[in-house]
Amino acid sequence: MPRVKAAAAAVVAVCALLAGCAGTTASQGGPDSGDERFIAGDGTAQVIAPAARKTVANVAGTTLDGEPLALADLRGKVVVMNFWASWCAPCRGEAPTLQKLSQEHKSKGVEFVGVNFKDAKDQALAMERSFGITYPSLFDGDGRLMLAFRDIPPNAVPSTLIFDRQGRVAVRVIGATTYSKLNPLINRVVAEG
């Protein structure tokens, strides 16, 4: 029996080590290829009361198109930030909805920003072209931008955060979202004035 326990402990240790190394290169495939970067969310939305909201510092980088972008520069606007990757099937599924909502809410002062997470840039750009995505996406090929979200982590790919006009996280959606779920959440934050 001690050998069985020792063998089981060794298997657990190896699995933990492998999980810690998963997704370290952007050129790996998606969930269908055994990629462990994909973490499923159930689409649960968390609305945060204004008094409990926190800002996220130092979210800045370069977009997939090579342009600089800083979240702080969008203060005064409601910002919808979606975390996605080309290797993520649910991300592809929600892409048309996000594009549609970005167009519908632009006149209300709402900005959409993507964060392309642990992806290959060429594949990410191809996905944007494929779905006609017109809003910018920060390229987070090594996952460093995610470190800024320690207080309210996205926790899954895809995930969506809605920032209020003061730059504080007002809503967090873990997992893929839909038009009927995200649209009222955006309207709720826009209505805060």
Side-chain angles (χ1 to χ4, degrees):
M1 200 60 139
R3 286 186 187 178
V4 173
K5 287 183 182 177
V11 169
V12 169
V14 169
C15 289
L17 179 63
L18 291 174
C21 296
T24 56
T25 61
S27 61
Q28 293 176 336
D32 296 334
S33 66
D35 187 339
E36 296 178 29
R37 292 175 294 176
F38 176 77
I39 301 169
D42 61 5
T44 301
Q46 174 190 11
V47 177
I48 302 163
R53 293 178 186 169
K54 297 180 180 184
T55 59
V56 179
N58 303 322
V59 177
T62 304
T63 66
L64 287 168
D65 294 327
E67 298 295 322
L69 178 67
L71 184 60
D73 293 341
L74 300 175
R75 193 144 305 163
K77 296 183 176 198
V78 171
V79 176
V80 178
M81 181 173 278
N82 178 259
F83 296 81
W84 66 278
S86 64
W87 45 259
C88 162
C91 299
R92 291 190 297 273
E94 72 177 4
T97 294
L98 292 166
Q99 175 60 27
K100 180 177 180 175
L101 286 167
S102 74
Q103 295 301 303
E104 289 180 4
H105 287 278
K106 194 157 194 71
S107 64
K108 300 174 190 172
V110 177
E111 293 291 332
F112 275 62
V113 175
V115 177
N116 178 247
F117 179 72
K118 288 194 175 183
D119 207 349
K121 192 179 274 190
D122 290 345
Q123 293 170 336
L125 286 165
M127 181 174 154
E128 283 191 332
R129 283 190 302 273
S130 175
F131 289 104
I133 304 298
T134 58
Y135 55 86
S137 281
L138 289 164
F139 181 61
D140 191 20
D142 59 8
R144 289 185 188 178
L145 279 177
M146 293 289 275
L147 297 176
F149 296 90
R150 289 180 193 181
D151 288 335
I152 184 138
N155 285 351
V157 175
S159 282
T160 304
L161 300 177
I162 303 175
F163 293 82
D164 65 17
R165 289 181 177 86
Q166 291 76 43
R168 304 171 303 173
V169 178
V171 176
R172 173 173 68 168
V173 180
I174 303 298
T177 192
T178 61
Y179 185 93
S180 62
K181 183 178 289 182
L182 192 57
N183 190 48
L185 293 169
I186 295 169
N187 285 330
R188 180 176 180 161
V189 179
V190 167
E192 292 177 356

